[in-house]
């Protein structure tokens, strides 16, 4: 005999199998911020600015530098961004993989 929770699990598994998981998964704040970073970097790249300073990103997204650095580390570990120093400022740029992901996000 199936319990109510079992029905929910089976329904969830069916949704996953059908490929509609994105409609049912909630994103945490860090994930939303990382997607926002990729979107911002993509927009800047489209306007001819390949690098953006971390300070500018903090200001535009309204996040603290420590939070941004943690998120940048995660994005960098996934090879989506590269962080470097330019004129004594930390700057970030999309990698080719990061550009691919940001283009896919734009299309979604």
């Amino acid at each position: 005999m199936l319990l109510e929770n079992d029905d929910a699990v089976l329904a969830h598994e069916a949704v996953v199998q059908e490929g509609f998981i994105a409609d049912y998964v909630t994103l945490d704040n860090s994930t939303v911020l990382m997607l926002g970073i990729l979107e911002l970097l993509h927009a800047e790249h489209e306007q001819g600015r390949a690098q953006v300073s971390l300070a500018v990103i903090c200001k535009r997204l309204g996040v603290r530098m420590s939070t941004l650095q943690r998120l940048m580390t995660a994005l960098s570990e996934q090879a989506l961004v590269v962080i470097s120093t330019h004129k004594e400022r930390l700057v970030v740029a999309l990698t080719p993989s990061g550009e691919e992901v940001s283009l896919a996000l734009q299309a979604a």
Side-chain angles (χ1 to χ4, degrees):
M1 180 172 139
L2 290 176
L3 299 174
E4 205 171 301
N5 284 345
D6 293 335
D7 286 339
V9 169
L10 290 174
H12 177 71
E13 288 175 358
V15 168
V16 170
Q17 289 174 356
E18 292 178 27
F20 296 108
I21 190 67
D23 293 336
Y24 297 94
V25 175
T26 57
L27 301 176
D28 66 11
N29 193 44
S30 293
T31 304
V32 171
L33 284 172
M34 283 191 275
L35 294 173
I37 291 166
L38 292 174
E39 184 178 3
L40 185 148
L41 292 173
H42 175 77
E44 291 294 318
H45 183 77
E46 289 289 307
Q47 294 181 12
R49 292 182 286 275
Q51 297 180 329
V52 181
S53 76
L54 294 187
V56 166
I57 296 172
C58 283
K59 188 172 184 176
R60 290 203 187 148
L61 295 181
V63 298
R64 301 176 78 173
M65 182 61 79
S66 59
T67 300
L68 182 62
Q69 288 175 331
R70 179 177 49 81
L71 297 171
M72 285 299 173
T73 298
L75 290 169
S76 178
E77 287 173 352
Q78 297 301 312
L80 298 175
V81 299
V82 61
I83 304 167
S84 59
T85 304
H86 180 71
K87 296 183 181 179
E88 297 183 23
R89 300 186 95 191
L90 286 174
V91 295
V92 65
L94 287 172
T95 63
S97 295
E99 185 63 28
E100 258 184 63
V101 170
S102 63
L103 285 171
L105 291 171
Q106 298 297 317

